[in-house]
Amino acid sequence: MSINLTAQDKLTLRTAAYGAVSLLAAADAAGAPHKVATHGSIALNSATGTVGHVLAEKSKIGDLGGRSAAELADKVLPALTEAMTVLKQQDPAEADNYRATVVLALETGAQAVKNGPTPVMTAMVEKITTALDAA
C-alpha cells in the first residue's frame, strides 16, 4: 500500500515517538533519565519501513519543552493518537509498525534502569500505550 505523509504528518510522528521516550525519561527523573532517553532513542533509530525513514530524517522535532511531565504529556499523548490515526488511514501495517517501534523504545528505555522500571515508569508506559491505542 502506498503511503503519502505530509511534512506535518512526519513532524507529528517524530514528535510523538521521541516525546514518548522523553515522557518515560521524565518518569525516571530521580534515577537515570539520560540512560532511558539514550536507549529509547537508539531503539527508535532502529525502526524499519516508512516509519523508520520518517524517524531517521534529520529534521526538527516539535516542541518537547515544558516545566513538568504534565506539560510534556499534554503535547505528546495527543500527538501519539494523531500519529496512529494518520497511519491507520493510509497503511494499517505501518500503524502497527509505528506502535511496535514506540513500545520497543519504551521497553528498551525502561530496561536501562538499574533495578528495572519503577512503578512511575510503568504507569507512564500505560498512559502512552493508551494514547497509541486510542486511534
Side-chain angles (χ1 to χ4, degrees):
M1 180 179 257
S2 178
I3 188 164
N4 183 21
L5 298 172
T6 66
Q8 182 61 45
D9 293 338
K10 292 177 181 182
L11 177 64
T12 300
L13 266 65
R14 282 191 301 276
T15 300
Y18 285 98
V21 170
S22 296
L23 271 175
L24 186 63
D28 190 42
H34 61 286
K35 287 184 180 181
V36 173
T38 299
H39 288 265
S41 295
I42 290 169
L44 290 178
N45 281 316
S46 71
T48 59
T50 300
V51 166
H53 289 286
V54 170
L55 295 179
E57 285 182 9
K58 301 294 182 204
S59 54
K60 74 178 210 172
I61 295 173
D63 177 23
L64 293 177
R67 297 191 312 173
S68 68
E71 286 182 18
L72 182 57
D74 287 345
K75 298 172 188 175
V76 173
L77 298 178
L80 286 163
T81 303
E82 182 180 345
M84 287 295 291
T85 300
V86 166
L87 289 171
K88 279 184 178 182
Q89 289 171 349
Q90 294 196 33
D91 188 343
E94 277 303 314
D96 292 342
N97 183 23
Y98 183 80
R99 185 189 189 287
T101 298
V102 172
V103 170
L104 175 64
L106 297 175
E107 290 171 353
T108 303
Q111 289 176 3
V113 177
K114 187 174 182 178
N115 294 319
T118 65
V120 176
M121 293 175 75
T122 302
M124 187 61 75
V125 169
E126 289 175 13
K127 291 174 185 176
I128 292 166
T129 55
T130 297
L132 286 166
D133 294 340

